[in-house]
Amino acid sequence: MTDRSPLRDLSAPPFATRHIGPSDAEQARMLQAVGYASVADLVAVAVPGMIRAEGPLRLPPAASETEAIAELRALAGRNRLLTSMIGLGYHDTITPAVIRRNLLENPGWYTAYTPYQPEISQGRLEALLNFQTVIADLTGLDVAGASLLDEATAAAEAMTLARRAGRAKSPVFVVDADALPQTKAVLATRAEPLGIELAEADLSEGLPGGELFGVLVQYPGASGRLKDFRALAEEAHARGALVVAAADLLALTLVESPGFLGADIAVGSSQRFGVPLGFGGPHAAYMSVREGLQRQMPGRLVGVSQDADGRAAYRLALQTREQHIRREKATSNICTAQVLLAVIAGTYAVYHGPEGLRRIAQRVHRHAAVLAAGLRGAGVEVVHEAFFDTVLARVPGRAGEVVAAARARGINLRHVDADHVGVACDETTTGGHLAAVWESFGLEGVVLEDVDTSASDALPGELLRSTEYLAHPVFRAHRSETALLRYLRRLQDKDIALDRSMIPLGSCTMKLNATTEMEPITWPELAGLHPYAPAEQAEGYLALIADLERWLAEVTGYDAVSLQPNAGSQGEFAGLLAIRAYHRANGDLERDVCLIPSSAHGTNAASAVMAGMRVVVVACDDQGNVDLADLDAKIGKHRDRLAAIMVTYPSTHGVYEETITAICARVHEAGGQVYVDGANLNALVGLAKPGAFGADVSHLNLHKTFCIPHGGGGPGVGPVAVRAHLAAYLPGHPLRDGGPVGPVSAAPYGSAGILPISWAYVRMMGGEGLTAATEQAILSANYLARRLAPHYPVLYTGREGLVAHECIVDLRQITKETGVTVDDVAKRLIDYGFHAPTMSFPVAGTLMIEPTESEDLAELDRFVDAMIAIRGEIAKVASGAYDRADNPLRNAPHTADCLVADDWQHPYTRTEAAYPVPALREGKYWSPVRRIDQAYGDRNLVCSCPPLEAYED
Ligand SMILES: *Cc1c(COP(=O)(O)O)cnc(C)c1O
């Protein structure tokens, strides 16, 4: 050994070189193509000087992957994992290992995007349809959606649904006093701006008098009480109100369904179907409705339709209800939901089947019944006769003592009040836990076996479930591990996720979700914590949360951050609530106008309405920028009532608007607040800070800029960041600390379980790495724009013809001349192995392309080559070389099945259809279905697993 390098030269390259796709050499080639000598030169021109941040980000220097994992291990080690018997809608569960490894920990599932391109999403759509079938069956209602954000927000969505759909004109919504405390609190947050009056009532006494438009029943209640609500539902209907049941799915395998008992809407959490507690989330909430209400449902709904060959195929149904289309008239602001978690819950039911679920439920119930009998036998008062899994014990003056004794034995119980203790059993409860609980109550000598022999069950006879569920063959066919493994693999293989190719979706930032970032989320010390575990058991989580809040404040230039909102839409709502509360605190009760540019994301308008604001649209000029003259006119007209403006920056057109500081100044001058939608922060990190260039509040999407994977349409985290004057109005939580504004999520820190992902990203990139990522994202977008410009018009460029982190190509003229539409191009890209860019947003007839920093030059070029080849095909349509109606674009995507058919009738060859570029001969992605007929599926709505005959030709 003669050559000696110093140790530091031999350490691993920084993580940033793994996260950022292009090498230095590739970056140099891209710069050359774009015409700049350095990234600094490019950025100096692309990003307006007046918004540029001064100095580098003040973040800890980048850690290596090994160091970051070690730090996360240390943080996780500061959590204390006790057995949780707290209940309140969160129950420990066993994630079957085959599901954990092959689904939750599998990039084929977690890196997929929302299934807006249904042909390349058949696998996750089928898995979601399984989820919907589970929900519809167990709740006994006709139509179930494909997940909502959490039980509390689902209850709030049900409340507004009942108000929209019901006959009653009353503003009163009655809430079960025995509803989950977080549900009551979120209902209160959501009701107030809309003028809904909540009336809490003890429903065991029946419905209170007076008018109402709806009632929410918790089934079973937070106290464990299980009560037949048939008579109550009948009375509510007679009085013109709709009935919402918040129900526990596991209980429903043993007791009659909400639909059977008369509920119009059911909501709840599917967490205990195999999804880890994660200190509060992410978990999939569910909603199901009776026939007639499905067009009013919030969120996504998977339906069955047919493809061009008439075969059954899945896609998202009734999209016209959603905020993307209806904006301020939308049924809800929900966009990102909880797809990955819904897929896990649905698969848990596929794995266990109806008898398996029933057996788990019986075991849970039996433990609760034995626990209660032991307590009673030893003289402790058990409050309710009928319950499923939760036992409420009355111990006058002794509750604190019992809870402390249990904690000393490694168990958390629910400290209801000075006189009551709640104990919830779950799938992991054992006889040993029961013995420890008895001891905690001070009982000696209770013998499990003796109690078990004598105790009777506590399910009321009139509620025992007689109706069938999960009769579909899918819930029988995959019970062995081999069968389930292959089923999951088969579904995964149908889809395009980031593990196959780039997903160039503008506005969605589909970047690397690094394995090191993902690994910690299934560690028991992070996955196993109950959201209401005492703070001293969550030290590691609280430290991680504090780090991330601080880092995000530094990155955005704001003073305070809340991680509670569990999607961007919820961050918007929280941010607008802060603005509203601020105006009210200043005595400005009249300020309720929210200005929103016409180009805004649909969630903006929908969130403003939820926050009790009136939306006034501001025009955009033909460059896609806010029209300042119209802005002045609208400010002039609404000056005294101006609450806020919501602008996206860079604009939804992917341009750094030069006028942003002027917009901020004009709105401030009129007394309004500035909300900058930060979903496009990937164009700003390290270069500009919304909190420093004039905005008052922003939400960010950690599932875009900060590496949380999209999961096929969720989970997400949408932190809200504010300047100091709004900090007091960030969302509070009744089970942590409250403030003037209530919670927007069920759990105090929302989807805490996935925060380690963003923590690891920031920790491993450091300030320099984050800035380099932004610079590369800008370079990559400009590289694509430059290479595509000779073939497609590129819209909306800023200074020197540069774009920000995404670019829009315009097909409108092409469509006019040739009849080839954006749809045709998007579907043809599938034949080339790509997920289409964002279609027709923000401008109809265009494609918005966002490459992100993570794609290397070879992949960018492969995409450009596909787009250029497609342009060649379009030229053949224009010249008449291809038939206008029967060509590879119009017929895309092509399945293997249609290509090998004996009667190939098309005027182009099979090779042209399947292998338009030679590289496709290796490892081609085959679309499992032909183009799907959207309208057919909406006309013939089927939203649960269709019978097998439906798949026959
Ligand atoms: C993605 C996005 C949102 C909504 O975020 P969700 O997490 O899907 O609710 C809002 N605004 C813009 C500009 C976005 O791109």
Side-chain angles (χ1 to χ4, degrees):
M1 298 274 268
T2 47
D3 284 350
R4 295 215 194 109
S5 300
L7 264 180
R8 68 181 137 67
D9 291 351
L10 293 171
S11 54
F15 170 73
T17 64
R18 305 281 179 194
H19 175 83
I20 296 173
S23 64
D24 290 349
E26 289 175 351
Q27 195 183 68
R29 291 202 340 251
M30 293 164 77
L31 279 166
Q32 199 172 15
V34 181
Y36 287 84
S38 70
V39 181
D41 286 355
L42 169 70
V43 167
V45 178
V47 184
M50 75 255 201
I51 67 159
R52 280 296 291 271
E54 284 164 28
L57 289 174
R58 281 167 304 170
L59 294 171
S64 71
E65 293 180 65
T66 316
E67 289 162 350
I69 284 291
E71 287 181 26
L72 279 161
R73 284 261 181 231
L75 281 172
R78 288 168 62 191
N79 290 335
R80 279 190 54 222
L81 193 58
L82 271 62
T83 299
S84 177
M85 301 184 87
I86 298 172
L88 291 180
Y90 301 94
H91 304 272
D92 208 354
T93 175
I94 298 167
T95 313
V98 58
I99 293 178
R100 190 189 64 235
R101 173 159 294 190
N102 298 288
L103 213 163
L104 177 56
E105 297 178 339
N106 181 342
W109 286 94
Y110 66 69
T111 67
Y113 182 66
T114 306
Y116 288 130
Q117 294 289 337
E119 292 84 0
I120 51 94
S121 312
Q122 291 295 297
R124 54 194 185 271
L125 285 164
E126 178 169 335
L128 284 173
L129 202 66
N130 293 343
F131 173 80
Q132 290 182 178
T133 305
V134 170
I135 302 304
D137 277 16
L138 287 179
T139 61
L141 287 162
D142 302 294
V143 183
S147 83
L148 293 174
L149 292 165
D150 59 33
E151 175 163 344
T153 54
E157 297 288 354
M159 170 176 74
T160 49
L161 194 169
R163 197 185 201 195
R164 279 196 304 278
R167 296 178 279 128
K169 291 283 165 278
S170 157
V172 175
F173 187 71
V174 174
V175 183
D176 193 341
D178 205 11
L180 299 173
Q182 68 271 23
T183 297
K184 291 187 209 171
V186 170
L187 285 173
T189 311
R190 297 272 288 256
E192 192 271 333
L194 298 175
I196 294 173
E197 291 167 28
L198 289 184
E200 191 172 317
D202 180 353
L203 297 180
S204 58
E205 316 278 305
L207 262 188
E211 299 203 314
L212 73 163
F213 72 84
V215 53
L216 179 134
V217 187
Q218 188 88 40
Y219 177 70
S223 69
R225 174 174 51 204
L226 188 57
K227 200 172 171 322
D228 188 339
F229 60 85
R230 258 173 283 210
L232 182 112
E234 244 173 68
E235 192 192 334
H237 289 151
R239 286 162 60 182
L242 295 191
V243 177
V244 180
D248 180 295
L249 285 182
L250 196 60
L252 298 185
T253 64
L254 300 181
V255 298
E256 262 313 342
S257 68
F260 183 88
L261 300 178
D264 303 286
I265 306 168
V267 293
S269 168
S270 62
Q271 178 268 318
R272 70 192 311 179
F273 276 29
V275 181
L277 289 163
F279 200 39
H283 310 135
Y286 71 80
M287 179 185 283
S288 56
V289 298
R290 66 167 163 72
E291 176 62 37
L293 294 176
Q294 59 270 31
R295 276 163 213 275
Q296 297 289 336
M297 271 213 308
R300 300 177 187 133
L301 177 65
V302 176
V304 184
S305 186
Q306 57 182 32
D307 75 358
D309 288 337
R311 298 245 195 108
Y314 311 115
R315 92 294 181 237
L316 295 179
L318 304 182
Q319 289 283 293
T320 46
R321 303 159 304 138
E322 285 201 29
Q323 24 70 32
H324 285 306
I325 312 256
R326 289 184 45 92
R327 309 177 82 84
E328 69 270 17
K329 296 188 188 66
T331 50
S332 151
N333 70 341
I334 190 168
C335 181
T336 290
Q338 302 280 19
V339 169
L340 188 69
L341 304 313
V343 167
I344 292 173
T347 308
Y348 178 92
V350 168
Y351 180 70
H352 287 296
E355 327 80 66
L357 292 178
R358 204 180 167 82
R359 196 168 50 239
I360 293 167
Q362 278 165 339
R363 197 182 135 83
V364 169
H365 176 64
R366 191 63 204 155
H367 276 102
V370 169
L371 173 71
L375 289 172
R376 271 208 191 98
V380 175
E381 184 186 340
V382 171
V383 179
H384 302 308
E385 287 301 317
F387 51 84
F388 165 60
D389 64 353
T390 299
V391 176
L392 185 68
R394 208 174 101 80
V395 280
R398 287 183 52 223
E401 186 191 313
V402 172
V403 169
R407 200 170 297 168
R409 288 171 174 76
I411 296 176
N412 287 326
L413 304 180
R414 178 178 173 215
H415 191 171
V416 181
D417 57 32
D419 305 332
H420 296 89
V421 174
V423 190
C425 297
D426 61 48
E427 191 184 358
T428 67
T429 304
T430 63
H433 294 135
L434 301 192
V437 171
W438 285 325
E439 282 171 32
S440 308
F441 277 85
L443 314 182
E444 307 276 330
V446 186
V447 180
L448 180 73
E449 288 69 25
D450 295 351
V451 186
D452 191 11
T453 334
S454 59
S456 47
D457 280 353
L459 300 174
E462 77 275 11
L463 281 180
L464 290 180
R465 181 135 187 170
S466 60
T467 46
E468 207 187 20
Y469 52 86
L470 308 190
H472 192 275
V474 74
F475 300 107
R476 262 180 277 128
H478 313 290
R479 298 291 181 74
S480 77
E481 180 162 330
T482 302
L484 188 77
L485 182 71
R486 290 178 188 157
Y487 180 56
L488 286 173
R489 173 59 186 262
R490 202 158 66 237
L491 295 182
Q492 179 195 330
D493 275 354
K494 292 183 180 189
D495 291 7
I496 291 184
L498 280 176
D499 62 336
R500 268 187 205 274
S501 74
M502 74 184 284
I503 301 185
L505 281 159
S507 204
C508 300
T509 316
M510 299 294 290
K511 57 164 68 173
L512 170 73
N513 317 115
T515 310
T516 295
E517 292 154 6
M518 292 300 294
E519 267 186 333
I521 67 164
T522 45
W523 293 349
E525 303 83 356
L526 294 174
L529 234 63
H530 190 286
Y532 309 146
E536 67 269 17
Q537 293 171 25
E539 241 183 54
Y541 254 122
L542 297 175
L544 182 148
I545 287 166
D547 283 345
L548 194 55
E549 286 176 355
R550 204 171 53 247
W551 297 343
L552 293 176
E554 167 62 14
V555 165
T556 54
Y558 286 106
D559 299 302
V561 172
S562 165
L563 295 167
Q564 192 185 92
N566 43 22
S569 61
Q570 309 303 297
E572 291 174 18
F573 176 60
L576 291 168
L577 284 182
I579 291 176
R580 182 170 190 271
Y582 171 78
H583 286 314
R584 301 201 144 214
N586 292 340
D588 286 334
L589 305 184
E590 302 288 290
R591 291 196 177 270
D592 66 350
V593 167
C594 186
L595 302 178
I596 300 186
S598 58
S599 63
H601 195 269
T603 49
N604 290 184
S607 299
V609 170
M610 284 168 56
M613 295 186 183
R614 288 188 295 143
V615 174
V616 171
V617 177
V618 180
C620 287
D621 63 20
D622 48 15
Q623 279 303 299
N625 297 327
V626 173
D627 178 338
L628 286 188
D630 194 49
L631 176 71
D632 285 339
K634 298 285 159 66
I635 290 177
K637 183 155 177 227
H638 302 286
R639 174 168 287 270
D640 297 336
R641 303 201 57 166
L642 185 61
I645 186 167
M646 282 184 101
V647 281
T648 302
Y649 203 83
S651 74
T652 36
H653 298 73
V655 176
Y656 296 103
E657 280 176 77
E658 305 262 354
T659 52
I660 184 68
T661 48
I663 293 171
C664 294
R666 289 179 201 194
V667 171
H668 281 147
E669 187 274 321
Q673 293 278 292
V674 177
Y675 187 112
V676 163
D677 180 328
N680 288 346
L681 205 76
N682 213 46
L684 298 180
V685 176
L687 303 179
K689 302 178 175 185
F693 65 66
D696 302 290
V697 45
S698 291
H699 78 272
L700 333 174
N701 277 358
L702 299 191
H703 46 303
K704 293 177 180 171
T705 314
F706 293 90
C707 297
I708 290 176
H710 280 248
V717 177
V720 54
V722 296
R723 292 195 24 223
H725 65 283
L726 295 177
Y729 308 110
L730 288 173
H733 197 282
L735 289 105
R736 289 281 171 204
D737 34 27
V741 177
V744 298
S745 300
Y749 305 102
S751 293
I754 51 178
L755 295 177
I757 302 169
S758 299
W759 188 97
Y761 175 60
V762 177
R763 189 70 195 86
M764 297 191 296
M765 293 295 274
E768 270 178 51
L770 290 175
T771 309
T774 308
E775 291 170 342
Q776 182 59 54
I778 295 169
L779 173 57
S780 295
N782 279 288
Y783 175 78
L784 285 187
R786 204 52 65 94
R787 283 212 56 203
L788 289 170
H791 309 277
Y792 299 89
V794 173
L795 280 183
Y796 308 117
T797 51
R799 284 204 263 173
E800 305 281 333
L802 293 174
V803 297
H805 64 310
E806 55 195 7
C807 69
I808 298 181
V809 298
D810 190 357
L811 276 104
R812 288 172 295 188
Q813 190 60 30
I814 288 172
T815 303
K816 209 184 273 171
E817 285 165 17
T818 64
V820 175
T821 64
V822 269
D823 256 78
D824 295 334
V825 173
K827 303 307 174 192
R828 185 59 174 153
L829 273 169
I830 297 173
D831 284 336
Y832 285 78
F834 284 102
H835 189 298
T838 299
M839 263 168 54
S840 292
F841 174 81
V843 185
T846 65
L847 292 172
M848 182 156 66
I849 306 167
E850 180 180 0
T852 84
E853 68 278 10
S854 295
E855 299 301 337
D856 64 21
L857 183 56
E859 184 69 357
L860 297 176
D861 283 339
R862 197 170 73 87
F863 176 73
V864 171
D865 291 345
M867 288 296 288
I868 293 173
I870 288 174
R871 187 66 187 85
E873 293 173 350
I874 296 172
K876 285 192 182 177
V877 177
S879 72
Y882 275 153
D883 186 89
R884 278 211 160 213
D886 189 356
N887 59 60
L889 292 146
R890 181 57 49 85
N891 293 331
H894 296 82
T895 55
D897 202 45
C898 83
L899 286 159
V900 300
D902 290 332
D903 56 338
W904 177 259
Q905 299 282 1
H906 304 290
Y908 54 95
T909 69
R910 291 167 155 125
T911 304
E912 285 174 281
Y915 299 120
V917 288
L920 284 169
R921 287 188 186 269
E922 204 177 318
K924 182 180 160 78
Y925 167 79
W926 290 99
S927 179
V929 292
R930 303 277 314 276
R931 198 176 304 189
I932 296 173
D933 184 340
Q934 296 284 1
Y936 176 88
D938 278 355
R939 281 196 310 274
N940 307 281
L941 195 64
V942 176
C943 298
S944 53
C945 296
L948 291 186
E949 307 83 72
Y951 297 93
E952 286 165 12
D953 281 356

